[in-house]
Amino acid sequence: MSSRSRRPLTPWMFLAPYGVAVLLLIALPALLNVGYAFTDHTGLTRDPRFTGLANLRRLFADEFFLDSLEASLFHVAVSVPLRLLAAVGLGLLLAAPRPGGRWFRVAVYLPTVIPDVALAVLFLWVLNPLYGPLNQLLGLVGHPGYTWLAEPTTARVGVVLMLLFPIGEGFLVVLAARRLLDGRLYEAAALEGCGPFGQLRRLTLPLLAPVLVLLAVRDTILTLQVNFVPAYVLTDGRPANATQYLPVYIFDHAFEFSGFAYGALLTIVLMVISAAVITVQLLAVRRWRVLR
């Protein structure tokens, strides 16, 4: 075949498989979800019946939804800053060459490749009030320990503690971004008498601000929408609905109570809440001129 008969590859040819996947796996299910939200679909019947705003009226009268929303927002408010602080702190700490640094970086990233279910089962042992290592460590300093998963507050703390370990993706992003910064800036700052903490405050954090904003938005989405496995395995939404996060509540209605239509509406609400929280974050960033 001559070179003249070959058609050049265009960007659309590379994007076409991705576009088809997005259409079939994201856009089409999302449209079906919106349609089911206004029916009485149970997930078992073949022909759902249109019910108008009945599910929406049910949502406004649902006290358990308010409990679930409060638990989810509390979880985001606590978990996201801690995860971001851990990823940024470890990324900056291990960015500089040091003896054994490669193994430390592997140790930080390793929990991320562990399946969520396996990590949750491991934390069932860690948080065990009788022989769990966490209570044993507290016993070394004279503290009696907690019944972690039996009290509402400590159950929420237990889920947050578990999610502090799989931070490898954010850690790698911070690590790579820090290594891309020009070292001459730090040499000039040192000549001006700027110490390590001054360089962190005046150079590193401002230069990494776009990356940090991206990680905060990403982690907010993940924390709101992908906290199902730890909450379901560790507590199943208990005690007293303290860990009945919105994904767990959606799962219960859609698959345990055969309320597929109401679960579809809750999914839409979760998406709207996620968009609202992210919008507030971006407005705050713009107001504080973090990306200046």
Side-chain angles (χ1 to χ4, degrees):
M1 181 181 295
S2 63
S3 59
R4 292 182 179 180
S5 61
R6 296 178 180 176
R7 298 180 59 184
L9 295 177
T10 63
W12 294 107
M13 294 182 181
F14 291 100
L15 293 176
Y18 177 78
V20 172
V22 169
L23 179 64
L24 295 178
L25 301 179
I26 298 179
L28 183 58
L31 291 175
L32 290 174
N33 187 77
V34 173
Y36 285 137
F38 300 97
T39 67
D40 61 351
H41 191 36
T42 64
L44 302 175
T45 57
R46 179 175 297 181
D47 298 319
R49 183 173 56 90
F50 180 75
T51 58
L53 300 179
N55 287 325
L56 193 59
R57 289 191 293 268
R58 176 183 175 184
L59 177 68
F60 289 143
D62 190 352
E63 296 180 359
F64 292 106
F65 167 73
L66 296 179
D67 292 340
S68 180
L69 178 60
E70 185 269 334
S72 293
L73 294 179
F74 176 86
H75 182 65
V76 170
V78 175
S79 182
V80 171
L82 291 178
R83 283 171 54 88
L84 189 61
L85 180 63
V88 172
L90 291 172
L92 297 179
L93 181 65
L94 298 176
R98 64 183 69 247
R102 178 181 302 177
W103 298 108
F104 287 121
R105 291 190 288 272
V106 170
V108 173
Y109 188 78
L110 184 60
T112 306
V113 302
I114 299 177
D116 291 342
V117 174
L119 190 60
V121 171
L122 176 63
F123 259 77
L124 283 175
W125 167 69
V126 172
L127 300 175
N128 188 286
L130 298 179
Y131 51 80
L134 188 54
N135 270 1
Q136 291 183 5
L137 288 176
L138 292 175
L140 295 178
V141 296
H143 194 282
Y146 299 99
T147 52
W148 288 97
L149 302 180
E151 300 292 334
T153 302
T154 53
R156 289 180 175 180
V157 173
V159 176
V160 171
L161 287 177
M162 174 190 159
L163 293 177
L164 281 178
F165 284 86
I167 57 171
E169 296 171 350
F171 163 75
L172 285 184
V173 171
V174 174
L175 182 69
R178 172 60 183 87
R179 289 186 169 183
L180 289 175
L181 298 182
D182 193 346
R184 291 174 295 182
L185 295 175
Y186 292 90
E187 294 175 3
L191 291 176
E192 293 291 333
C194 190
F197 289 102
Q199 294 176 15
L200 174 66
R201 185 169 64 90
R202 298 178 181 272
L203 281 178
T204 306
L205 293 181
L207 291 174
L208 292 181
V211 174
L212 300 183
V213 171
L214 175 64
L215 290 178
V217 170
R218 169 191 173 274
D219 222 47
T220 299
I221 297 173
L222 289 178
T223 305
L224 266 175
Q225 301 185 5
V226 196
N227 55 15
F228 171 78
V229 170
Y232 194 77
V233 175
L234 288 178
T235 63
D236 193 16
R238 295 182 287 269
N241 296 327
T243 58
Q244 186 85 358
Y245 305 128
L246 283 172
V248 179
Y249 195 53
I250 291 170
F251 175 85
D252 287 343
H253 273 284
F255 299 105
E256 290 194 6
F257 306 147
S258 297
F260 196 88
Y262 190 59
L265 179 63
L266 291 173
T267 302
I268 297 173
V269 172
L270 175 58
M271 183 173 61
V272 172
I273 292 172
S274 301
V277 172
I278 292 169
T279 301
V280 171
Q281 287 180 328
L282 295 179
L283 289 176
V285 167
R286 183 177 180 181
R287 180 176 179 85
W288 296 336
R289 299 181 181 179
V290 174
L291 299 181
R292 180 175 55 183

